[in-house]
Amino acid sequence: MARGTFLGSAAMALLFVAGATPASAGTTSELLKRLHEKGILTDEEYAQLAKEDAAAPAAAAASDGKPVVRVADSGVGFEVGDVTVKISGSVNGFYTHENGQAAGPNTDVVGGVVPVGGNSSAIRNGLLPGYLKFDVTTNQGGWDVGAHFGMYPGINSADYSVGGGANAGGRPVALQTAGIDFRQTYMTIGRSGLGEFKLGRDIGLFGSEGILNDITLLSVGSSGGNVAPSNTSLGRIGIGYIYTDFQPQITYTSPSLSGFQVSVGVFQPLESLTGPGESNKSPGFQGKIVYDGKFGDFSARAWLSGITQRHNRDDGISYTGSGFDTGAKIGYGPIVLTGYYYNGSGLGTTALNLFDTDAGGNKRDSDGFYLQGLATFGKFSVGGSYGESNLHYANAADALANPTLIRKNSSWVGQGRYGLTSWVTLIGEYIHSTSKAHNGNEAQGDTIAAGAILFF
């Protein structure tokens, strides 16, 4: 018998003889330590036996049918048997000062993103509110299944009386509460080689790449109103892309094949935000194809997505809103460049189905884009972008009836970041925003924001 095997067996025998029942983990580890100190066990033998001893309680629990609890390999969470529970979240806060446009006879812009009324200061969230997400996943019968819940609380008080729920305009007076936007509740079912199905409420496909690749996602961007802040600022929503939104859906995503991945989904139909009411008879449809690749020192991500939905208005008028977006993000060394473009008909601007038609149900066309660059040197990053969203009249009658309708929202953004820790990023930002109406009315605003965002 080899010396290691003999000594190991002898050591375990000694441990068993030490009591009528197996010793506790604390007693066993102490005996192993003593045997090692006396030279009975070599360093290698001691390390191996100590490792086996540490695993023994879990193995015993498993053999008794009891759940094994251990720390998850990544993230903040743990595993109970074959179930993984993970918690992730984010918190942010910014001091934001806005030099807004003074109210005047030529500043009225319906659908503009620049508030009028002069200067204002606020302590507020940026484009992201805070969030707390729970993911519970496991494998059952060869299927990867999961339940996902995401709560998004803001730091500013919400005014529920004006409509809009948790993301309504703010109410900065005493004895109020912040809004909690429970925007994610979905399940996933998938398996290797087949892909994944998602059922529930989550981010949409059309427009999602626009916001997820926008540098103002981590900061403020255009404020959208600084006197009574709501849960979020605008960032580039309505100033480069239409907000994707979080929507009820059944979506399938394929496995990645040579860098390509396809998603298609059936969505809850949305009513127009500016129409007379609808009784829609069919769902909405969205799809997206994404390519991710690396070529030497270059990295690339490109995408194309589309959306369509039939609207049945209560006044008997029907129309189909549709659109697409496309873009790419190219990285080389410390530099990342991003370009994005969208085009829609009967889709609206800023939010899905906002100002999508005139009063007669005639579709308005819209389009927009943003160009962006970000350079990172160690813990420091500096970036900038320009973007705009455009809305066009449906016809000449629409122009006569709505002279102050928004024609173009645009903004310039300059941003600096410093990675204070692996969780915390400090951010400073300057934003110049402009809203122009079709009749020439215009409002401009300059915003300075400074704060921090934390992810875990």
Side-chain angles (χ1 to χ4, degrees), residues 201-447:
R201 183 186 184 94
D202 195 23
I203 195 169
L205 299 177
F206 171 79
S208 59
E209 295 291 331
I211 191 169
L212 294 177
N213 290 288
D214 174 15
I215 59 172
T216 70
L217 179 64
L218 305 186
S219 55
V220 175
S222 296
S223 74
N226 205 45
V227 174
S230 61
N231 259 14
T232 73
S233 63
L234 282 177
R236 280 209 170 280
I237 295 173
I239 320 160
Y241 50 79
I242 296 174
Y243 180 46
T244 177
D245 222 319
F246 286 74
Q247 306 170 56
Q249 61 187 275
I250 299 176
T251 298
Y252 166 74
T253 299
S254 73
S256 179
L257 180 62
S258 300
F260 288 92
Q261 193 165 43
V262 177
S263 299
V264 292
V266 181
F267 287 72
Q268 163 69 28
L270 300 177
E271 297 184 18
S272 172
L273 285 164
T274 47
E278 299 177 12
S279 300
N280 292 314
K281 301 176 176 62
S282 61
F285 301 93
Q286 298 184 32
K288 181 171 71 170
I289 182 169
V290 176
Y291 172 76
D292 279 299
K294 191 169 178 62
F295 311 92
D297 294 332
F298 285 90
S299 63
R301 180 177 178 87
W303 60 87
L304 173 66
S305 74
I307 182 173
T308 185
Q309 182 195 313
R310 183 71 174 171
H311 294 261
N312 303 103
R313 296 191 354 173
D314 292 341
D315 60 5
I317 295 174
S318 297
Y319 65 96
T320 298
S322 60
F324 74 91
D325 70 351
T326 186
K329 181 168 67 175
I330 307 297
Y332 179 76
I335 308 297
V336 178
L337 302 176
T338 304
Y340 175 86
Y341 172 79
Y342 78 90
N343 188 286
S345 180
L347 202 62
T349 188
T350 306
L352 291 169
N353 311 123
L354 176 65
F355 304 121
D356 52 351
T357 70
D358 66 4
N362 300 295
K363 295 188 292 186
R364 293 172 175 147
D365 293 337
S366 58
D367 57 75
F369 70 91
Y370 72 80
L371 299 172
Q372 173 181 284
L374 183 69
T376 300
F377 306 96
K379 292 187 174 185
F380 290 93
S381 297
V382 60
S385 67
Y386 172 79
E388 62 182 54
S389 288
N390 304 291
L391 183 67
H392 309 282
Y393 281 132
N395 48 42
D398 189 18
L400 290 173
N402 302 285
T404 61
L405 181 68
I406 182 67
R407 179 174 70 85
K408 179 170 70 175
N409 286 315
S410 63
S411 73
W412 292 91
V413 175
Q415 184 185 100
R417 304 178 186 172
Y418 176 74
L420 184 66
T421 73
S422 60
W423 284 18
V424 178
T425 301
L426 308 180
I427 303 177
E429 193 172 59
Y430 165 76
I431 310 98
H432 177 75
S433 306
T434 303
S435 294
K436 292 183 179 180
H438 280 273
N439 70 346
N441 285 4
E442 180 177 296
Q444 297 188 28
D446 294 283
T447 305

Side-chain angles (χ1 to χ4, degrees), residues 3-4 7 32 35-36 39-49:
R3 177 179 182 277
L7 290 176
L32 287 173
L35 291 171
H36 179 239
I40 298 174
L41 295 176
T42 66
D43 292 344
E44 293 80 5
E45 292 163 348
Y46 171 69
Q48 178 62 29
L49 290 170

Side-chain angles (χ1 to χ4, degrees), residues 63-87:
S63 66
D64 291 340
K66 298 177 182 178
V68 179
V69 180
R70 55 187 179 274
V71 177
D73 293 335
S74 63
V76 179
F78 55 91
E79 297 178 4
V80 182
D82 59 356
V83 177
T84 299
V85 179
K86 289 191 178 181
I87 304 170

